[in-house]
Amino acid sequence: MEGEAALKVWVRQHRVTWELGAWQELVEHRPTTVGFELRLFGQHGPHSDAMPGCQQCVSLHAKLRSIALATFPKDEKCPTRYEVEPFDASFHLRPESEWTPEVQLTVHIIHRDGYLRPLDESEKRCANEIERALRQLGVQPKSWSDSRSVTRELV
């Protein structure tokens, strides 16, 4: 994997953001939170003539995947499993990015054993560690702010 400094530059160039929310399944006919869904978003560079599903999108998705994998806890104190969804060849539009087309990577953070068990402290702890690692790489929550990026670098 490439160095952290290079990843930080790439994150800034592609305005990478993340969202973390509850992942629910039906358990005994009731919605039950069984883990988390992490979404990473990356934008094509300025002056790009990208089209949904183009080779640039595939490359963006692959880089977002490498960022996600780099943030997953590697030790046994997080007895969780991470399911990375395959490449989605469509642009994602969100108000948080002012409707700028983005490539999305989705990961489910769930129990390693007993998939349908309710969310517990281990998933919460792992999600917190992932959020901390994303912030260290300069990935911003929900929406991109150049001023937030500059402030973080000065600290």
Side-chain angles (χ1 to χ4, degrees):
M1 188 176 118
E2 57 193 291
E4 188 173 315
L7 274 179
K8 286 180 178 182
V9 168
W10 190 90
V11 162
R12 201 168 29 255
Q13 287 173 339
H14 295 278
R15 307 181 117 209
V16 179
T17 57
W18 57 270
E19 294 179 353
L20 184 71
W23 177 246
Q24 295 188 323
E25 293 282 1
L26 281 179
V27 178
E28 297 179 10
H29 308 289
R30 287 190 213 133
T32 303
T33 301
V34 297
F36 291 101
E37 181 176 73
L38 171 69
R39 290 175 302 280
L40 296 179
F41 300 93
Q43 299 178 8
H44 287 274
H47 313 297
S48 173
D49 58 346
M51 298 294 294
C54 70
Q55 187 55 47
Q56 293 174 21
C57 291
V58 172
S59 296
L60 259 169
H61 188 270
K63 185 66 83 170
L64 292 172
R65 186 178 193 283
S66 68
I67 288 170
L69 293 174
T71 64
F72 296 162
K74 309 288 188 270
D75 56 20
E76 289 299 315
K77 71 180 179 178
C78 284
T80 54
R81 184 171 79 210
Y82 310 101
E83 294 180 351
V84 180
E85 289 189 0
F87 174 65
D88 172 8
S90 59
F91 281 143
H92 294 264
L93 304 170
R94 304 178 302 134
E96 295 86 356
S97 65
E98 299 177 352
W99 308 108
T100 302
E102 297 175 300
V103 173
Q104 176 180 320
L105 175 102
T106 303
V107 178
H108 295 127
I109 304 166
I110 54 175
H111 293 283
R112 189 176 298 158
D113 299 312
Y115 175 81
L116 294 177
R117 289 188 354 231
L119 182 70
D120 64 20
E121 290 304 312
S122 65
E123 281 85 17
K124 291 176 186 176
R125 187 175 52 250
C126 293
N128 287 335
E129 287 185 32
I130 291 168
E131 287 178 319
R132 191 171 22 261
L134 287 168
R135 283 187 173 99
Q136 287 176 339
L137 290 174
V139 180
Q140 297 183 15
K142 297 212 187 265
S143 64
W144 186 266
S145 168
D146 288 325
S147 61
R148 192 180 332 151
S149 180
V150 170
T151 304
R152 181 171 290 130
E153 290 173 5
L154 296 175
V155 173

